[in-house]
Amino acid sequence: MIPVTETLIPPADAERSAGDVLLEVEDLAVEFRSDDGAVRAVDGLSYRVEAGRTLALVGESGCGKSVSSLAVMGLLPPTARVVRGTARYRGTDLLALSPTRHRAHCGTHVAMVFQDALAALNPVHTVGYQLTESLRSRTGTSRREARRRAVELLDLVKVPNAAQRVDEYPHQFSGGMRQRVMIASALALDPDVLIADEPTTALDVTVQAQVLRLLAEIQAERQMGLVLITHDLGVVAGVADDVTVMYAGRAVEHAPVRDLYAAPAHPYTRALLRSVPRLDSGAEVAGGRLPVVPGRPPAPGRVPSGCSFHPRCDMAQDLCRTVEPPLDDVAPGRSSACHFAAELLGGARA
Ligand SMILES: Nc1ncnc2c1ncn2[C@@H]1O[C@H](COP(=O)(O)OP(=O)(O)OP(=O)(O)O)[C@@H](O)[C@H]1O
Ligand code: SF4
Ligand SMILES: [Mg+2]
């Protein structure tokens, strides 16, 4: 059990005002040990999470969304290590803390709903017991008070009949309701920042929409900072304020969500957007099939020279094969790691 002292954990009720910078990740790089040596899974990722805003981290499978988040949380597997970068929570670099202090901050002020969360619920304990485990172990809350809080948390995530369901077991809950329980569990200590890793992929479309709406409501109500991780740009449209698109361990585009949808500044984002079904445009689903991004992303350790996206890019030129494009500002609040971002944006405006 982690001892809770004032010096270990800053006050839980520090005020949150819209726009406060809560979490700032800068130049994060993570490597895995492998038989072929060190393999870079995340390389130079930066993002910022503000109170009352939702940042979507988007990219295909394997681009580093989960690994970068686990690094921020201090929960990397033993074969991985942070080789560069900072993750400042209200100014304190979490990555420079001892493992004990790091874990004390995370789970308390920066919480995460894990990608395989549904499998994480223990079948032999009631939902209420599991919901308040962190509360009891970190704050010494009594069993009676913990149960009251568990009902409150189930109410918060809109589980009907919370006072009764708190004593039920996970198998008595549907997938959507179990995901709500996992969200409630992450909210138990009223975190400033919630990282939700693919919180809806295991759910059917209607339930996905409900869970996303719920997350957005809670985020707005509490002025929390939300990091929403997904491989699906369609999911973020109605929920996120800003989007960071990742490819092969790096951020390749960052933009406010509306700007990104209106005019992507990176060919990878453009390709991802083409694969999102659009109800307002029959042209996007010509022949009944959605276009997918051709080819596959590179495995870590096999990232191509120059622009890592060049083997799959329909705009690639010789320069792209040799010179890696930096993530540069291309418009207010927007950045892109493409040599031809200006042309892309210019073309969209023309
Ligand atoms: N335990 C591990 N050992 C070795 N490599 C790993 C390990 N976990 C992840 N990786 C590698 O790190 C890279 C980033 O993985 P990560 O899980 O962050 O991807 P992701 O973007 O979350 O993908 P997904 O959308 O499938 O969840 C991947 O290429 C993966 O192969
Ligand atoms: S730098 Fe070249 S290869 Fe990379 S995304 Fe831009 S145009 Fe495509
Ligand atoms: Mg993942």
Side-chain angles (χ1 to χ4, degrees):
M1 190 171 102
I2 299 164
V4 180
T5 67
E6 293 228 335
T7 50
L8 201 59
I9 305 182
D13 55 357
E15 282 199 12
R16 294 192 279 270
S17 308
D20 284 356
V21 178
L22 301 173
L23 179 67
E24 217 171 357
V25 173
E26 222 173 295
D27 199 26
L28 179 68
V30 180
E31 280 182 359
F32 279 93
R33 269 199 316 273
S34 81
D35 294 343
D36 304 327
V39 169
R40 190 64 59 97
V42 178
D43 198 2
L45 177 67
S46 302
Y47 63 79
R48 159 197 282 231
V49 184
E50 291 173 17
R53 288 184 80 83
T54 296
L55 170 74
L57 267 190
V58 182
E60 287 166 295
S61 186
C63 70
K65 305 181 296 291
S66 296
V67 167
S68 55
S69 309
L70 293 172
V72 169
M73 298 293 292
L75 295 172
L76 284 173
T79 49
R81 70 185 181 104
V82 172
V83 289
R84 213 175 61 228
T86 54
R88 287 200 189 80
Y89 162 70
R90 289 190 184 268
T92 301
D93 182 10
L94 300 172
L95 306 183
L97 297 175
S98 70
T100 313
R101 279 171 163 247
H102 193 167
R103 278 195 298 274
H105 273 77
C106 295
T108 311
H109 302 309
V110 184
M112 185 162 169
V113 178
F114 296 96
Q115 187 163 4
D116 53 356
L118 292 183
L121 279 169
N122 189 330
V124 305
H125 290 303
T126 64
V127 155
Y129 179 89
Q130 296 181 66
L131 260 180
T132 52
E133 233 169 351
S134 57
L135 202 65
R136 282 177 283 113
S137 67
R138 287 176 186 238
T139 62
T141 304
S142 71
R143 189 176 283 205
R144 191 192 175 89
E145 172 57 19
R147 189 179 182 285
R148 193 196 59 74
R149 178 75 177 130
V151 174
E152 211 172 81
L153 285 164
L154 288 181
D155 268 337
L156 176 71
V157 295
K158 298 194 168 60
V159 169
N161 304 324
Q164 175 198 325
R165 303 216 70 185
V166 71
D167 297 319
E168 293 182 355
Y169 291 85
H171 74 268
Q172 294 172 280
F173 283 65
S174 67
M177 286 296 153
R178 284 208 302 273
Q179 189 58 285
R180 285 168 192 253
V181 171
M182 295 315 297
I183 292 168
S185 169
L187 294 173
L189 293 163
D190 190 22
D192 273 346
V193 177
L194 179 68
I195 302 176
D197 192 353
E198 304 271 11
T200 60
T201 35
L203 309 173
D204 71 48
V205 176
T206 319
V207 182
Q208 271 190 23
Q210 289 166 358
V211 170
L212 283 173
R213 217 173 303 129
L214 172 76
L215 267 174
E217 271 173 35
I218 294 173
Q219 176 270 327
E221 208 175 280
R222 303 188 151 213
Q223 290 294 298
M224 227 171 37
L226 176 63
V227 180
L228 179 65
I229 296 179
T230 174
H231 59 269
D232 181 355
L233 258 179
V235 157
V236 308
V239 190
D241 298 295
D242 304 288
V243 182
T244 292
V245 180
M246 290 184 71
Y247 188 76
R250 293 165 184 258
V252 293
E253 175 160 11
H254 176 80
V257 70
R258 273 164 201 256
D259 295 352
L260 184 120
Y261 272 77
H266 195 285
Y268 179 56
T269 314
R270 190 175 61 172
L272 286 178
L273 281 172
R274 281 183 182 149
S275 67
V276 174
R278 290 188 50 171
L279 298 176
D280 60 335
S281 166
E284 299 287 336
V285 282
R289 283 175 66 87
L290 286 172
V292 289
V293 185
R296 292 168 66 94
R302 292 175 200 273
V303 178
S305 61
C307 172
S308 57
F309 186 57
H310 84 251
R312 304 172 74 190
C313 182
D314 57 8
M315 282 178 63
Q317 312 218 358
D318 286 347
L319 172 72
C320 307
R321 292 177 244 286
T322 50
V323 181
E324 188 183 330
L327 184 68
D328 276 340
D329 292 348
V330 289
R334 302 196 60 172
S335 48
S336 165
C338 172
H339 294 304
F340 302 104
E343 280 85 335
L344 254 179
L345 285 178
R349 274 194 290 266

PDB file of all heavy atoms in Angstrom, residues 230-256:
ATOM      1  N   THR A 230      -7.698   6.748 -29.405  1.00  0.00           N
ATOM      2  CA  THR A 230      -8.502   5.951 -30.327  1.00  0.00           C
ATOM      3  C   THR A 230      -7.755   5.776 -31.651  1.00  0.00           C
ATOM      4  O   THR A 230      -6.876   6.573 -31.982  1.00  0.00           O
ATOM      5  CB  THR A 230      -9.881   6.608 -30.585  1.00  0.00           C
ATOM      6  OG1 THR A 230     -10.572   5.877 -31.589  1.00  0.00           O
ATOM      7  CG2 THR A 230      -9.762   8.053 -31.022  1.00  0.00           C
ATOM      8  N   HIS A 231      -8.119   4.720 -32.394  1.00  0.00           N
ATOM      9  CA  HIS A 231      -7.540   4.579 -33.734  1.00  0.00           C
ATOM     10  C   HIS A 231      -8.523   5.123 -34.770  1.00  0.00           C
ATOM     11  O   HIS A 231      -8.246   5.104 -35.952  1.00  0.00           O
ATOM     12  CB  HIS A 231      -7.213   3.109 -34.018  1.00  0.00           C
ATOM     13  CG  HIS A 231      -8.417   2.228 -33.923  1.00  0.00           C
ATOM     14  ND1 HIS A 231      -8.794   1.604 -32.755  1.00  0.00           N
ATOM     15  CD2 HIS A 231      -9.363   1.926 -34.825  1.00  0.00           C
ATOM     16  CE1 HIS A 231      -9.917   0.936 -32.958  1.00  0.00           C
ATOM     17  NE2 HIS A 231     -10.287   1.121 -34.196  1.00  0.00           N
ATOM     18  N   ASP A 232      -9.655   5.638 -34.307  1.00  0.00           N
ATOM     19  CA  ASP A 232     -10.753   5.981 -35.191  1.00  0.00           C
ATOM     20  C   ASP A 232     -11.043   7.479 -35.138  1.00  0.00           C
ATOM     21  O   ASP A 232     -11.573   7.979 -34.152  1.00  0.00           O
ATOM     22  CB  ASP A 232     -11.982   5.168 -34.729  1.00  0.00           C
ATOM     23  CG  ASP A 232     -13.205   5.414 -35.591  1.00  0.00           C
ATOM     24  OD1 ASP A 232     -13.140   6.282 -36.476  1.00  0.00           O
ATOM     25  OD2 ASP A 232     -14.217   4.740 -35.358  1.00  0.00           O
ATOM     26  N   LEU A 233     -10.689   8.179 -36.228  1.00  0.00           N
ATOM     27  CA  LEU A 233     -10.925   9.630 -36.232  1.00  0.00           C
ATOM     28  C   LEU A 233     -12.417   9.969 -36.186  1.00  0.00           C
ATOM     29  O   LEU A 233     -12.790  11.043 -35.728  1.00  0.00           O
ATOM     30  CB  LEU A 233     -10.309  10.247 -37.482  1.00  0.00           C
ATOM     31  CG  LEU A 233      -8.981  10.966 -37.297  1.00  0.00           C
ATOM     32  CD1 LEU A 233      -8.457  11.514 -38.611  1.00  0.00           C
ATOM     33  CD2 LEU A 233      -9.064  12.093 -36.276  1.00  0.00           C
ATOM     34  N   GLY A 234     -13.252   9.030 -36.630  1.00  0.00           N
ATOM     35  CA  GLY A 234     -14.700   9.267 -36.592  1.00  0.00           C
ATOM     36  C   GLY A 234     -15.184   9.455 -35.173  1.00  0.00           C
ATOM     37  O   GLY A 234     -16.072  10.250 -34.901  1.00  0.00           O
ATOM     38  N   VAL A 235     -14.570   8.731 -34.244  1.00  0.00           N
ATOM     39  CA  VAL A 235     -14.992   8.762 -32.841  1.00  0.00           C
ATOM     40  C   VAL A 235     -14.775  10.136 -32.208  1.00  0.00           C
ATOM     41  O   VAL A 235     -15.531  10.566 -31.343  1.00  0.00           O
ATOM     42  CB  VAL A 235     -14.210   7.665 -32.058  1.00  0.00           C
ATOM     43  CG1 VAL A 235     -14.139   7.964 -30.574  1.00  0.00           C
ATOM     44  CG2 VAL A 235     -14.817   6.296 -32.300  1.00  0.00           C
ATOM     45  N   VAL A 236     -13.758  10.855 -32.650  1.00  0.00           N
ATOM     46  CA  VAL A 236     -13.377  12.066 -31.923  1.00  0.00           C
ATOM     47  C   VAL A 236     -14.156  13.309 -32.370  1.00  0.00           C
ATOM     48  O   VAL A 236     -14.148  14.321 -31.680  1.00  0.00           O
ATOM     49  CB  VAL A 236     -11.861  12.361 -32.036  1.00  0.00           C
ATOM     50  CG1 VAL A 236     -11.061  11.154 -31.655  1.00  0.00           C
ATOM     51  CG2 VAL A 236     -11.479  12.856 -33.405  1.00  0.00           C
ATOM     52  N   ALA A 237     -14.855  13.190 -33.520  1.00  0.00           N
ATOM     53  CA  ALA A 237     -15.452  14.385 -34.121  1.00  0.00           C
ATOM     54  C   ALA A 237     -16.296  15.196 -33.151  1.00  0.00           C
ATOM     55  O   ALA A 237     -16.113  16.399 -33.013  1.00  0.00           O
ATOM     56  CB  ALA A 237     -16.279  13.986 -35.332  1.00  0.00           C
ATOM     57  N   GLY A 238     -17.199  14.508 -32.443  1.00  0.00           N
ATOM     58  CA  GLY A 238     -18.110  15.266 -31.592  1.00  0.00           C
ATOM     59  C   GLY A 238     -17.613  15.457 -30.173  1.00  0.00           C
ATOM     60  O   GLY A 238     -18.299  16.058 -29.357  1.00  0.00           O
ATOM     61  N   VAL A 239     -16.448  14.942 -29.848  1.00  0.00           N
ATOM     62  CA  VAL A 239     -16.019  14.904 -28.454  1.00  0.00           C
ATOM     63  C   VAL A 239     -14.759  15.721 -28.176  1.00  0.00           C
ATOM     64  O   VAL A 239     -14.656  16.383 -27.147  1.00  0.00           O
ATOM     65  CB  VAL A 239     -15.754  13.426 -28.025  1.00  0.00           C
ATOM     66  CG1 VAL A 239     -15.551  13.336 -26.536  1.00  0.00           C
ATOM     67  CG2 VAL A 239     -16.881  12.517 -28.453  1.00  0.00           C
ATOM     68  N   ALA A 240     -13.796  15.667 -29.102  1.00  0.00           N
ATOM     69  CA  ALA A 240     -12.484  16.275 -28.814  1.00  0.00           C
ATOM     70  C   ALA A 240     -12.453  17.761 -29.161  1.00  0.00           C
ATOM     71  O   ALA A 240     -13.224  18.242 -29.989  1.00  0.00           O
ATOM     72  CB  ALA A 240     -11.406  15.537 -29.598  1.00  0.00           C
ATOM     73  N   ASP A 241     -11.562  18.472 -28.483  1.00  0.00           N
ATOM     74  CA  ASP A 241     -11.278  19.858 -28.849  1.00  0.00           C
ATOM     75  C   ASP A 241     -10.074  19.913 -29.776  1.00  0.00           C
ATOM     76  O   ASP A 241     -10.033  20.687 -30.717  1.00  0.00           O
ATOM     77  CB  ASP A 241     -10.975  20.682 -27.587  1.00  0.00           C
ATOM     78  CG  ASP A 241     -12.166  20.722 -26.653  1.00  0.00           C
ATOM     79  OD1 ASP A 241     -13.189  21.286 -27.042  1.00  0.00           O
ATOM     80  OD2 ASP A 241     -12.066  20.152 -25.546  1.00  0.00           O
ATOM     81  N   ASP A 242      -9.073  19.098 -29.440  1.00  0.00           N
ATOM     82  CA  ASP A 242      -7.829  19.083 -30.204  1.00  0.00           C
ATOM     83  C   ASP A 242      -7.469  17.644 -30.542  1.00  0.00           C
ATOM     84  O   ASP A 242      -7.870  16.721 -29.839  1.00  0.00           O
ATOM     85  CB  ASP A 242      -6.681  19.693 -29.376  1.00  0.00           C
ATOM     86  CG  ASP A 242      -7.018  21.093 -28.910  1.00  0.00           C
ATOM     87  OD1 ASP A 242      -7.035  22.003 -29.748  1.00  0.00           O
ATOM     88  OD2 ASP A 242      -7.290  21.257 -27.700  1.00  0.00           O
ATOM     89  N   VAL A 243      -6.681  17.483 -31.587  1.00  0.00           N
ATOM     90  CA  VAL A 243      -6.279  16.139 -32.011  1.00  0.00           C
ATOM     91  C   VAL A 243      -4.773  16.112 -32.249  1.00  0.00           C
ATOM     92  O   VAL A 243      -4.223  17.031 -32.865  1.00  0.00           O
ATOM     93  CB  VAL A 243      -6.978  15.732 -33.331  1.00  0.00           C
ATOM     94  CG1 VAL A 243      -6.598  14.311 -33.728  1.00  0.00           C
ATOM     95  CG2 VAL A 243      -8.483  15.849 -33.218  1.00  0.00           C
ATOM     96  N   THR A 244      -4.117  15.069 -31.721  1.00  0.00           N
ATOM     97  CA  THR A 244      -2.733  14.796 -32.097  1.00  0.00           C
ATOM     98  C   THR A 244      -2.737  13.469 -32.842  1.00  0.00           C
ATOM     99  O   THR A 244      -3.201  12.459 -32.314  1.00  0.00           O
ATOM    100  CB  THR A 244      -1.826  14.714 -30.851  1.00  0.00           C
ATOM    101  OG1 THR A 244      -1.744  16.026 -30.262  1.00  0.00           O
ATOM    102  CG2 THR A 244      -0.418  14.257 -31.208  1.00  0.00           C
ATOM    103  N   VAL A 245      -2.278  13.495 -34.085  1.00  0.00           N
ATOM    104  CA  VAL A 245      -2.230  12.276 -34.895  1.00  0.00           C
ATOM    105  C   VAL A 245      -0.816  11.697 -34.787  1.00  0.00           C
ATOM    106  O   VAL A 245       0.170  12.414 -34.983  1.00  0.00           O
ATOM    107  CB  VAL A 245      -2.557  12.585 -36.375  1.00  0.00           C
ATOM    108  CG1 VAL A 245      -2.503  11.309 -37.217  1.00  0.00           C
ATOM    109  CG2 VAL A 245      -3.931  13.240 -36.491  1.00  0.00           C
ATOM    110  N   MET A 246      -0.758  10.401 -34.434  1.00  0.00           N
ATOM    111  CA  MET A 246       0.547   9.749 -34.276  1.00  0.00           C
ATOM    112  C   MET A 246       0.788   8.755 -35.406  1.00  0.00           C
ATOM    113  O   MET A 246      -0.137   8.088 -35.863  1.00  0.00           O
ATOM    114  CB  MET A 246       0.611   8.990 -32.944  1.00  0.00           C
ATOM    115  CG  MET A 246       0.650   9.876 -31.736  1.00  0.00           C
ATOM    116  SD  MET A 246       0.829   8.902 -30.220  1.00  0.00           S
ATOM    117  CE  MET A 246       2.534   8.324 -30.340  1.00  0.00           C
ATOM    118  N   TYR A 247       2.043   8.659 -35.813  1.00  0.00           N
ATOM    119  CA  TYR A 247       2.433   7.643 -36.791  1.00  0.00           C
ATOM    120  C   TYR A 247       3.826   7.148 -36.428  1.00  0.00           C
ATOM    121  O   TYR A 247       4.740   7.952 -36.231  1.00  0.00           O
ATOM    122  CB  TYR A 247       2.436   8.234 -38.214  1.00  0.00           C
ATOM    123  CG  TYR A 247       2.652   7.176 -39.267  1.00  0.00           C
ATOM    124  CD1 TYR A 247       1.613   6.313 -39.620  1.00  0.00           C
ATOM    125  CD2 TYR A 247       3.895   7.005 -39.897  1.00  0.00           C
ATOM    126  CE1 TYR A 247       1.805   5.318 -40.567  1.00  0.00           C
ATOM    127  CE2 TYR A 247       4.090   6.015 -40.838  1.00  0.00           C
ATOM    128  CZ  TYR A 247       3.038   5.171 -41.171  1.00  0.00           C
ATOM    129  OH  TYR A 247       3.226   4.175 -42.098  1.00  0.00           O
ATOM    130  N   ALA A 248       3.971   5.842 -36.287  1.00  0.00           N
ATOM    131  CA  ALA A 248       5.264   5.219 -36.000  1.00  0.00           C
ATOM    132  C   ALA A 248       5.982   5.890 -34.825  1.00  0.00           C
ATOM    133  O   ALA A 248       7.172   6.210 -34.903  1.00  0.00           O
ATOM    134  CB  ALA A 248       6.148   5.240 -37.253  1.00  0.00           C
ATOM    135  N   GLY A 249       5.251   6.101 -33.749  1.00  0.00           N
ATOM    136  CA  GLY A 249       5.864   6.606 -32.515  1.00  0.00           C
ATOM    137  C   GLY A 249       5.984   8.110 -32.411  1.00  0.00           C
ATOM    138  O   GLY A 249       6.429   8.636 -31.387  1.00  0.00           O
ATOM    139  N   ARG A 250       5.618   8.827 -33.478  1.00  0.00           N
ATOM    140  CA  ARG A 250       5.753  10.293 -33.456  1.00  0.00           C
ATOM    141  C   ARG A 250       4.422  10.990 -33.689  1.00  0.00           C
ATOM    142  O   ARG A 250       3.525  10.404 -34.301  1.00  0.00           O
ATOM    143  CB  ARG A 250       6.680  10.749 -34.598  1.00  0.00           C
ATOM    144  CG  ARG A 250       8.090  10.318 -34.427  1.00  0.00           C
ATOM    145  CD  ARG A 250       8.826  10.491 -35.742  1.00  0.00           C
ATOM    146  NE  ARG A 250      10.152   9.979 -35.597  1.00  0.00           N
ATOM    147  CZ  ARG A 250      11.239  10.741 -35.417  1.00  0.00           C
ATOM    148  NH1 ARG A 250      11.130  12.042 -35.423  1.00  0.00           N
ATOM    149  NH2 ARG A 250      12.410  10.194 -35.256  1.00  0.00           N
ATOM    150  N   ALA A 251       4.369  12.247 -33.256  1.00  0.00           N
ATOM    151  CA  ALA A 251       3.222  13.079 -33.627  1.00  0.00           C
ATOM    152  C   ALA A 251       3.497  13.602 -35.028  1.00  0.00           C
ATOM    153  O   ALA A 251       4.578  14.137 -35.293  1.00  0.00           O
ATOM    154  CB  ALA A 251       3.070  14.232 -32.651  1.00  0.00           C
ATOM    155  N   VAL A 252       2.525  13.423 -35.939  1.00  0.00           N
ATOM    156  CA  VAL A 252       2.728  13.949 -37.296  1.00  0.00           C
ATOM    157  C   VAL A 252       1.822  15.141 -37.588  1.00  0.00           C
ATOM    158  O   VAL A 252       2.064  15.892 -38.520  1.00  0.00           O
ATOM    159  CB  VAL A 252       2.548  12.860 -38.384  1.00  0.00           C
ATOM    160  CG1 VAL A 252       3.648  11.814 -38.278  1.00  0.00           C
ATOM    161  CG2 VAL A 252       1.165  12.230 -38.334  1.00  0.00           C
ATOM    162  N   GLU A 253       0.753  15.282 -36.804  1.00  0.00           N
ATOM    163  CA  GLU A 253      -0.074  16.482 -36.962  1.00  0.00           C
ATOM    164  C   GLU A 253      -0.742  16.797 -35.640  1.00  0.00           C
ATOM    165  O   GLU A 253      -1.139  15.889 -34.891  1.00  0.00           O
ATOM    166  CB  GLU A 253      -1.144  16.279 -38.054  1.00  0.00           C
ATOM    167  CG  GLU A 253      -2.082  17.485 -38.139  1.00  0.00           C
ATOM    168  CD  GLU A 253      -2.855  17.636 -39.435  1.00  0.00           C
ATOM    169  OE1 GLU A 253      -2.849  16.706 -40.257  1.00  0.00           O
ATOM    170  OE2 GLU A 253      -3.474  18.711 -39.609  1.00  0.00           O
ATOM    171  N   HIS A 254      -0.870  18.078 -35.361  1.00  0.00           N
ATOM    172  CA  HIS A 254      -1.642  18.525 -34.198  1.00  0.00           C
ATOM    173  C   HIS A 254      -2.518  19.684 -34.644  1.00  0.00           C
ATOM    174  O   HIS A 254      -2.036  20.595 -35.322  1.00  0.00           O
ATOM    175  CB  HIS A 254      -0.718  18.959 -33.056  1.00  0.00           C
ATOM    176  CG  HIS A 254      -1.511  19.507 -31.916  1.00  0.00           C
ATOM    177  ND1 HIS A 254      -2.147  18.687 -31.006  1.00  0.00           N
ATOM    178  CD2 HIS A 254      -1.840  20.775 -31.588  1.00  0.00           C
ATOM    179  CE1 HIS A 254      -2.812  19.436 -30.152  1.00  0.00           C
ATOM    180  NE2 HIS A 254      -2.646  20.707 -30.485  1.00  0.00           N
ATOM    181  N   ALA A 255      -3.797  19.642 -34.253  1.00  0.00           N
ATOM    182  CA  ALA A 255      -4.699  20.716 -34.682  1.00  0.00           C
ATOM    183  C   ALA A 255      -5.971  20.713 -33.863  1.00  0.00           C
ATOM    184  O   ALA A 255      -6.362  19.674 -33.317  1.00  0.00           O
ATOM    185  CB  ALA A 255      -5.075  20.523 -36.157  1.00  0.00           C
ATOM    186  N   PRO A 256      -6.644  21.888 -33.782  1.00  0.00           N
ATOM    187  CA  PRO A 256      -8.008  21.886 -33.244  1.00  0.00           C
ATOM    188  C   PRO A 256      -8.865  20.991 -34.135  1.00  0.00           C
ATOM    189  O   PRO A 256      -8.654  20.941 -35.357  1.00  0.00           O
ATOM    190  CB  PRO A 256      -8.449  23.354 -33.382  1.00  0.00           C
ATOM    191  CG  PRO A 256      -7.176  24.132 -33.467  1.00  0.00           C
ATOM    192  CD  PRO A 256      -6.189  23.243 -34.161  1.00  0.00           C
TER     193      PRO A 256
END
